Amino acid sequence: MSEMIAVYDAAGREIGAQERAVVYAEGLWHASAGVLVRSRDGSKVYVHKRTDTKAVFAGMHDCLAGGVLAPGEDPAAAAVRELGEELGIELGAHDDQPLPLASASWDGEWAGRPMRCHLFAYELRYDGPIRHQPEEIVDGWWWTDEELRSHLENPAWPFVPDTRVLIPDLLR
């Protein structure tokens, strides 16, 4: 049995749980939370490349460290969990916490199938160490908003499509 994730309705209400493989195969609404890691001075964002073995959006670039929500999981808690899992950023109770930045619903397509996701984006100002989870991230680097925007102007540049929806609210 694969990992269970929360299933949502089109309006954004959690309505149950299903195996991740079923959610993707049937195009069920689900939710994800991601964190835009921005340098403390606000001048750069952390961009990374996903591994070629990821089940969804393999080998693509992203500026959000994130993932799907477990049943009953709060988006803010999922965002903090994903920071630790993907980038090795462990936040304690006395550390700055990610702040809500944007949300959207994406009714798109991946690999010829519907992909429907409610997206919750947060921002964290951070200059500490970053340690990639090798199963999820191949490489990462700091870019200015303009550097990222210039790459995004090319629709063929492999960037995750759900984060593209949020870009106007993420970048300055």
Side-chain angles (χ1 to χ4, degrees), residues 30-47:
H30 58 289
S32 70
V35 181
L36 178 79
V37 179
R38 186 176 287 282
S39 60
R40 281 216 180 267
D41 68 3
S43 67
K44 297 195 179 206
V45 296
Y46 195 76
V47 179

Side-chain angles (χ1 to χ4, degrees), residues 50-60 133-138:
R50 298 163 62 91
T51 63
D52 289 334
T53 56
K54 294 284 290 174
V56 176
F57 310 139
M60 299 182 105
Q133 182 184 52
E135 296 81 19
E136 297 205 30
I137 298 177
V138 174

Side-chain angles (χ1 to χ4, degrees), residues 73-124:
E73 188 174 30
D74 176 72
V80 170
R81 174 180 53 78
E82 290 291 338
L83 268 177
E85 288 177 9
E86 291 192 357
L87 300 181
I89 300 174
E90 301 289 341
L91 299 177
H94 299 292
D95 293 322
D96 290 341
Q97 298 296 307
L99 299 175
L101 187 59
S103 63
S105 294
W106 181 64
D107 189 353
E109 186 178 292
W110 174 250
R113 292 189 173 135
M115 176 73 71
R116 298 178 178 100
C117 189
H118 299 289
L119 311 164
F120 299 91
Y122 297 81
E123 181 179 300
L124 177 71

